[in-house]
Amino acid sequence: MLDVIELLAGSGDKRLRFSDIVGALDLTQATTHAILKTLCDRGWLIRDPADKTFALGPALAVVAARTEASRPLAHAARIAAQELSEQLGLAASVVERAGTELVITAFEGAGPGGPPTDRIRYAPPFGVAFAAWDSPAEQRAWIDRAPTASTALTERLVEVLAQTRDRGFDVDWTTPDLTRAAQVVGALPSDGLPDHVRDITDQLLAEFTTMGLAPADDAARTSQPVATIAAPVFDAQGGVALILSVHPLRAMTSRQVEAAGQRVRRAADQVSRP
């Protein structure tokens, strides 16, 4: 298992296929499949669904130092988060995706104690900046993971994804306390809880799902609480590799949100691979 991780770490920007790993390590296909499945399930590796290649996953950043050569986008994004935090006087973060989870791999600046958790579910209301630039099938899968299902909510989420993509960045319009509460609830395991507890957490997440969406037009003209402003960083294939965010955690006008959002978007664009 460690041989697989070391092989991928030494490949730099090059992503390896299943056959590459089998050949390089002289493993049987069955053994290689079992190892790769375990590593991907734990978030130590990620598998690109389009070209079927493997690369180091974001979970490694939580448990061990990573090399710049193996994760250049993540390293550049961490530097960008530091710069945004210093320039704007706000906490900033880098978030990566591991399957159906979002992993906070960097948190910079004077946030209120840092993020309450390293991992949250990749489901509404979390990860809009990922889903907005994803394929229609993946967007549908993200919407289907919402804690409650209704035609109205589905239409609202579809609208939010389109608005976010047109604007170029995502805005979480919630108070700091609600945001932290949503992250804590979102980090709870999807199984293993008593049914009555799971019902309560699902109800809470259903309410959180709509709280952070864009406010109505009349409310947007006034000062509103803003928890997070996030923009996508793209890899060389044009997919969203990670999210670069700032966390105002205060009320802002639409003009202030637009100015901060454009700063985050420019920083993300500079990190993105051409």
Side-chain angles (χ1 to χ4, degrees):
M1 189 173 293
L2 291 178
D3 289 342
V4 173
I5 295 175
E6 290 176 356
L7 175 65
L8 288 167
S11 66
D13 290 342
K14 181 183 178 182
R15 289 174 175 249
L16 302 181
R17 296 179 180 275
F18 179 87
S19 58
D20 298 328
I21 298 171
V22 171
L25 299 179
D26 196 25
L27 299 172
T28 66
Q29 291 189 2
T31 299
T32 304
H33 175 76
I35 292 174
L36 292 175
K37 183 180 185 304
T38 298
L39 292 173
C40 287
D41 288 345
R42 298 296 299 271
W44 286 59
L45 299 184
I46 54 175
R47 180 176 180 269
D48 191 309
D51 61 15
K52 315 301 182 186
T53 57
F54 294 87
L56 296 180
L60 280 173
V62 180
V63 298
R66 58 190 186 277
T67 63
E68 297 180 13
S70 64
R71 289 170 51 81
L73 280 181
H75 176 72
R78 180 187 289 271
I79 293 175
Q82 292 173 341
E83 293 175 347
L84 281 172
S85 178
E86 293 170 358
Q87 293 167 4
L88 300 179
L90 303 174
S93 67
V94 176
V95 178
E96 300 182 59
R97 179 183 170 187
T100 57
E101 287 188 316
L102 299 176
V103 183
I104 301 171
T105 56
F107 194 87
E108 309 292 340
T117 180
D118 288 325
R119 291 173 176 263
I120 52 179
R121 282 179 266 178
Y122 178 47
F126 310 112
V128 172
F130 273 108
W133 280 268
D134 216 332
S135 67
E138 288 296 320
Q139 289 182 347
R140 182 71 236 187
W142 178 77
I143 292 172
D144 288 344
R145 288 193 291 272
T148 185
S150 71
T151 300
L153 177 59
T154 296
E155 292 176 349
R156 186 76 180 96
L157 290 172
V158 169
E159 178 186 7
V160 166
L161 294 181
Q163 290 176 345
T164 299
R165 187 161 184 152
D166 289 342
R167 183 174 53 212
F169 57 89
D170 173 45
V171 183
D172 178 4
W173 302 85
T174 53
T175 65
D177 289 342
L178 283 176
T179 297
R180 293 175 68 83
Q183 290 177 343
V184 169
V185 174
L188 294 175
S190 57
D191 53 15
L193 293 177
D195 290 341
H196 70 284
V197 176
R198 173 51 58 195
D199 289 342
I200 293 173
T201 59
D202 284 347
Q203 291 172 12
L204 287 172
L205 279 176
E207 295 185 21
F208 291 143
T209 298
T210 56
M211 285 179 181
L213 303 183
D217 290 341
D218 56 343
R221 289 191 289 268
T222 64
S223 180
Q224 297 287 313
V226 176
T228 301
I229 300 173
V233 171
F234 298 96
D235 58 25
Q237 290 74 41
V240 179
L242 50 86
I243 295 173
L244 182 62
S245 308
V246 295
H247 307 280
L249 304 177
R250 65 172 185 246
M252 300 177 72
T253 65
S254 294
R255 181 174 296 181
Q256 291 172 327
V257 169
E258 179 67 21
Q262 292 301 334
R263 290 284 293 276
V264 177
R265 180 180 179 180
R266 287 195 297 271
D269 287 345
Q270 290 174 355
V271 174
S272 296
R273 287 299 178 88

